[in-house]
Amino acid sequence: EPMSSARRVVITGLGATTPLGGSFADTWDGLLAGRSGMRTMDFPWVEEFEMPAKFAALLHTSPEKVLSKVECRRMDPSTQYAMVAAKDAWADAGAPDVDPIRFGVAIGTGMGGLHTLLGQWDILREKGVRRVFPLAVPMLMPNSPSGTVSLNFGARAGAHTTVSACASGAESMGTAYEMIRTGRADIAIAGGTEAAIHPICFAGFCQMQALSTRNDDPTHASRPYDTGRDGFVMGEGAGVLVLESEEHAKARGARIYAEFGGIGMSADAHHITAPEPEGAGASRAMVEAVERAGLTPADIIHVNAHATSTPVGDVAEANAIRRAFGDAADGMAVSGTKSMTGHLLGAAGALEGVITAKSIAERIAPPTINIVDFDPAISLDVVRDTPRDLPAGDIAALNNSFGFGGHNVALVIKSY
C-alpha cells in the first residue's frame, strides 16, 4: 500500500495488569477511587541487603490467573505481564478476526528479562550448565514480550520493541501508530511492560537516591507536586492499546474510544539521568505532538503528566509544559497517576497512554493523590484527590513520558 498521511488511527481496545488490578477495568476503578498500589515488600532480599527503600507498587494479580503454569514457566515475568495486558486489550476490542499480514505488534520495555537473566546466572554458578533452562535466551531477550505476543495472536506485519527507559511504552505506541498510518498494518497491539522489582534494580535506584524511602508510610510515598516528595516508588506491570486504522475499525463495527492523534519525540543530550532543567527538549516533543495532531495548544484540555514524584523531575516537567503551552497551560487539568500506580518504568508511558485514552472516552481526569502541601514551584492546575469532569465537544489530551538517556515522548489522544 502506498504511504499516505491521511490514514486516521483510532483506539479500540484497552488492557493492563497493574498494582491496582489484574485488568484495565479494575485499574481504572482504582484510579477513580484514589487508591494506592504501594505496599511493603516481604522478599527476603529486602532485609538481606538492607535496602534503603523497603516497599514498591507490586503487581496486584498473579499472571497465573490468566496464563497456564506451563506458559508462565516459558516466559519471563516481563513477557507474562505483556501477555496478560494484550489478552485484556484484545478481548476489549472484540477479539476480531484479522488478516495476519496486516496485523502488527509493538511492545517496549526498559529492562528486559531481568529475572530470567540473573536467575539463570545464579543457577549456572550454583548448579552448572546442565541445569540452565534451554529457553533462557529467548526468555531474557528484551524483544521477548513483542515476539511472544506476535506469536500468540498470529500478528505478522512486524513485531517491534523500543527500549528508551521510561519512555519505552509510549514510544512503542508511536511505533504502532506509524505502522498503521503508513499502511504497513491495519491493526496493532501496542504498549509496554516491565518486571524490574529485583534486588539489582532496587539497589541501583537506591544508590542513585531516586527512590522514596518513606518506609513507615508506603501508601503516601508517591506524592507528585507535594513539597515532601522524596523520590519515585517502583512499580511493575503492563499497559496495552489496540490501535486500528479508522477504516478497518469502522468496517468491523468496532467501538472506538478515541483517536490516536500523534506523537512527538526529542532527546535532551544533556545528562544520562537528570532532566534538562529548562525543559527545551521535553517541550519540543509536546509542541511537535500537538502540531502533528493538527491541533493548537488551546485544544489540549488534559495532561497525564510523567510526574514521578522526584524533587527535580516534577518541576522540570512543569516548566516544560509552561514552555510548550504558555498561557494555554492554565486551562489544562493535569493528573499524576503515578501517585497511585507507582512508576512502571518501561511500562509507565504505555499504561498512562491507556489511562489517557479512557480519560478522553469517559471525559474524566483521574486524580493525583497524596498532595498535602502543594509545591509553589509548580504552576499547573493539578487535579487533586478526586476525579474531575472534562468538557463536552471535541477535546484532546497529552500524555508525557521521559526516560533516562534523555528520551522525551509526548502522545496526543483526541476524542472521536
Side-chain angles (χ1 to χ4, degrees):
E1 248 183 76
M3 178 167 164
S4 154
S5 60
R7 294 191 91 195
R8 292 172 71 184
V9 178
V10 296
I11 298 164
T12 57
L14 309 176
T17 181
T18 74
L20 293 178
S23 66
F24 181 66
D26 289 348
T27 299
W28 179 250
D29 289 346
L31 291 168
L32 295 188
R35 211 163 60 230
S36 170
M38 326 292 161
R39 51 195 167 94
T40 301
M41 298 185 290
D42 55 11
F43 306 123
W45 54 262
V46 178
E47 291 312 318
E48 183 191 343
F49 298 123
E50 299 176 0
M51 291 290 177
K54 302 184 188 306
F55 60 96
L58 301 170
L59 201 69
H60 180 278
T61 304
S62 166
E64 288 193 6
K65 292 264 194 290
V66 175
L67 306 172
S68 71
K69 276 200 157 49
V70 172
E71 283 177 313
C72 286
R73 179 164 156 71
R74 290 163 170 258
M75 295 176 199
D76 183 80
S78 61
T79 301
Q80 296 172 23
Y81 303 172
M83 277 296 302
V84 171
K87 285 174 180 278
D88 189 29
W90 194 248
D92 188 52
D97 280 328
V98 298
D99 178 356
I101 62 170
R102 306 289 306 153
F103 181 9
V105 173
I107 293 178
T109 185
M111 306 285 178
L114 210 60
H115 289 271
T116 299
L117 174 66
L118 293 162
Q120 293 299 309
W121 170 234
D122 288 343
I123 286 171
L124 174 62
R125 287 189 309 169
E126 289 160 21
K127 300 179 179 175
V129 67
R130 291 175 183 278
R131 299 296 292 277
V132 171
F133 197 45
L135 294 176
V137 171
M139 285 168 65
L140 66 82
M141 303 185 307
N143 60 304
S144 192
S146 63
T148 304
V149 168
S150 152
L151 177 67
N152 190 271
F153 289 91
R156 295 182 178 164
H160 303 287
T161 305
T162 53
V163 178
S164 48
C166 307
S168 303
E171 191 171 334
S172 286
M173 288 175 170
T175 299
Y177 161 76
E178 292 292 348
M179 282 181 93
I180 294 168
R181 202 179 63 80
T182 57
R184 278 185 54 215
D186 297 322
I187 189 165
I189 290 174
T193 185
E194 200 80 275
I197 296 179
H198 182 285
I200 190 66
C201 232
F202 241 78
F205 281 127
C206 284
Q207 285 299 94
M208 194 190 284
Q209 297 185 319
L211 298 182
S212 169
T213 53
R214 199 180 283 260
N215 294 318
D216 56 340
D217 191 11
T219 57
H220 296 101
S222 185
R223 46 201 310 144
Y225 309 126
D226 184 85
T227 53
R229 65 188 183 276
D230 69 327
F232 72 82
V233 178
M234 208 194 303
E236 60 179 350
V240 169
L241 289 176
V242 175
L243 299 179
E244 288 184 65
S245 70
E246 180 187 36
E247 192 181 20
H248 188 274
K250 279 180 152 170
R252 70 177 187 88
R255 172 198 43 206
I256 295 173
Y257 284 103
E259 179 175 354
F260 195 102
I263 179 171
M265 293 187 281
S266 72
D268 283 343
H270 167 73
H271 186 275
I272 199 70
T273 59
E276 196 272 307
E278 297 297 308
S283 63
R284 204 166 66 250
M286 296 178 219
V287 169
E288 183 182 297
V290 172
E291 286 175 353
R292 287 189 157 188
L295 301 175
T296 66
D299 295 319
I300 304 294
I301 51 85
H302 171 51
V303 179
N304 187 302
H306 187 59
T308 60
S309 183
T310 58
V312 177
D314 290 6
V315 175
E317 180 183 15
N319 292 343
I321 290 171
R322 272 285 162 197
R323 183 174 178 140
F325 292 97
D327 291 342
D330 293 337
M332 299 180 339
V334 178
S335 298
T337 49
K338 288 184 182 73
S339 58
M340 297 169 279
T341 65
H343 189 352
L344 271 64
L345 307 179
L351 173 60
E352 288 150 23
V354 181
I355 293 168
T356 306
K358 182 72 167 172
S359 296
I360 285 290
E362 302 290 335
R363 295 179 187 271
I364 191 161
T368 310
I369 65 168
N370 297 334
I371 300 175
V372 179
D373 182 28
F374 189 79
D375 188 342
I378 307 286
S379 59
L380 297 173
D381 178 12
V382 176
V383 180
R384 292 170 60 172
D385 302 323
T386 53
R388 185 188 301 177
D389 290 336
L390 297 175
D394 289 337
I395 59 171
L398 187 77
N399 169 217
N400 283 338
S401 300
F402 311 114
F404 285 175
H407 309 278
N408 305 308
V409 177
L411 306 178
V412 169
I413 294 174
K414 310 197 275 194
S415 55
Y416 181 78

